[in-house]
Amino acid sequence: MKSLQELTRENIWKLKPYSCARDEFKGRAAEVFLDANENPYNQHFNRYPDPLQEELKAKLATVKQVPAASIFLGNGSDEAIDLVYRVFCEPRQDNVVAIAPTYGMYAVCADVNDVEYRAVELNPDFSLDADRLLAAVDAQTKVIWLCSPNNPTGNNLDRQAIERVLTEFQGIVVVDEAYSDFNDQRPFRFDLDRFPNLIVLNTFSKLWASAAIRLGMAFASPEIIALFNKVKYPYNVNALTQQQAMKTLDNMQQVQYWRATILKERAQLLPAVAELPICKAVYPTDANFLLARMTDADRIYHYLVDRGIVVRNRSRVQLCGNCLRITIGTPQENNALLGALRQYR
Ligand code: PMP
């Protein structure tokens, strides 16, 4: 890996971050807070939240088995994705390399930050060709984006291929594991010590059923996390979100029950969709959704919408012609979907 200083934009490396009132005073003993120009009334909403979410990170450190200093929390994973560009990529000068197809926000954030985005197609079976990916890298490539399980294809990328990219690429490698809770592969966050250039993304939005609170996680070396903390807005995760996240983390038994239910439903839904005459193939999935190639995805999509059922039409995405992406729902929702698809003429 190149040095972190070489990889970081010079202005960010030199940045003296904003110091907010609650950064400067961290003691617990005080009772009179006259430091942040807050209104003393309207308790429990009048005070700024903890800018570094320390209580929540302490709990997450236990649940995720990652040191608190290696955790960044943001307004959804999307905040972490944007920060990767703002920290590492010099607009109109640096570039990033990513797999295609994949989650759309990596490219949108590249455009917003005016950074060249080099998309390298996966193999037709959606596996990663590490040689082809690495061949797209040049001296100005700062970041490689990988997503495993990948969205919208649903498959895990091969661990050895990912490790090759982590070893051979000299810049930052992001492995987005938003959906990794839906399979039993070893998560990459346990390998942070082996790969100083690794950033792993997780989210409260998928298995943890908390998309509404907007809370995403990035796991990386404490040095990379410190750069993120320097650039983020001071109070980027609001108090209601932090409180609700604590409640979710106290409820891991419920989460495990959801996981078992969703995996059971997935195992039933996949063959049931595959055997429909209007389905040409269902791809193997390691996530809480499946990608199905249909005879006529556009028409089937609109047919389902007319019956109040919304899936994602991915037929205009690279390698995904005529494909629908279907989230695993409750047993009732999945039955409604299957019932409608069976009646399609
Ligand atoms: N990564 C992937 C691969 C996703 O599919 C999504 C959401 N669809 C996200 C990240 C965004 O997660 P969040 O809700 O935490 O912003």
Side-chain angles (χ1 to χ4, degrees), residues 41-69:
Y41 304 108
N42 192 30
Q43 294 188 11
H44 308 275
F45 296 102
N46 62 330
R47 300 290 175 200
Y48 284 102
D50 174 2
L52 290 172
Q53 312 96 22
E54 284 180 2
E55 200 184 352
L56 180 52
K57 282 180 186 167
K59 201 161 219 164
L60 263 176
T62 311
V63 173
K64 289 285 183 181
Q65 295 171 273
V66 168

Side-chain angles (χ1 to χ4, degrees), residues 277-292:
I278 54 170
C279 178
K280 290 181 166 171
V282 179
Y283 294 94
T285 177
D286 298 297
N288 68 332
F289 58 86
L290 53 86
L291 189 74

Side-chain angles (χ1 to χ4, degrees), residues 112-291:
V112 168
N113 288 286
D114 211 354
V115 170
E116 184 195 348
Y117 183 88
R118 300 181 172 183
V120 178
E121 226 174 61
L122 294 168
N123 293 319
D125 67 354
F126 305 137
S127 60
L128 172 64
D129 183 334
D131 285 322
R132 212 148 27 86
L133 194 80
L134 290 165
V137 167
D138 67 15
Q140 293 308 127
T141 307
K142 289 289 191 70
V143 177
I144 292 182
W145 292 97
L146 300 174
C147 182
S148 181
N150 188 32
N151 177 6
T153 59
N155 58 308
N156 266 330
L157 302 180
D158 178 64
R159 170 167 265 276
Q160 259 150 18
I162 296 179
E163 291 202 8
R164 241 197 84 198
V165 173
L166 278 160
T167 311
E168 292 184 23
F169 178 52
Q170 298 301 300
I172 300 292
V173 179
V174 183
V175 181
D176 186 343
E177 292 194 321
Y179 300 99
S180 64
D181 290 322
F182 299 101
N183 65 73
D184 295 322
Q185 251 201 27
R186 177 185 161 86
F188 266 91
R189 67 176 183 277
F190 295 143
D191 293 314
L192 290 174
D193 286 344
R194 282 174 62 210
F195 303 114
N197 55 342
L198 171 63
I199 299 176
V200 175
L201 302 183
N202 273 194
T203 177
F204 274 67
S205 301
K206 307 300 171 184
L207 179 64
W208 289 0
S210 305
I213 71 171
R214 308 308 301 128
L215 190 59
M217 299 161 259
F219 305 115
S221 69
E223 293 76 20
I224 292 178
I225 298 298
L227 286 168
F228 278 23
N229 285 337
K230 206 157 92 147
V231 177
K232 77 178 184 71
Y233 292 153
Y235 303 106
N236 61 326
V237 178
N238 71 71
L240 294 175
T241 292
Q242 292 188 46
Q243 285 159 20
Q244 183 57 34
M246 293 291 282
K247 284 191 203 157
T248 301
L249 295 178
D250 283 335
N251 212 358
M252 279 296 131
Q253 257 182 317
Q254 169 78 74
V255 168
Q256 286 315 317
Y257 173 77
W258 290 331
R259 180 181 193 270
T261 309
I262 290 167
L263 294 190
K264 186 162 155 248
E265 280 299 304
R266 182 178 79 184
Q268 288 171 0
L269 187 62
L270 197 144
V273 173
E275 73 183 18
L276 295 166
I278 54 170
C279 178
K280 290 181 166 171
V282 179
Y283 294 94
T285 177
D286 298 297
N288 68 332
F289 58 86
L290 53 86
L291 189 74

Side-chain angles (χ1 to χ4, degrees), residues 298-307 340-341 343-344:
D298 286 343
R299 198 163 158 253
I300 297 167
Y301 172 81
H302 290 291
Y303 164 86
L304 289 173
V305 169
D306 287 344
R307 275 148 196 80
L341 288 175
Q343 284 172 9
Y344 178 84

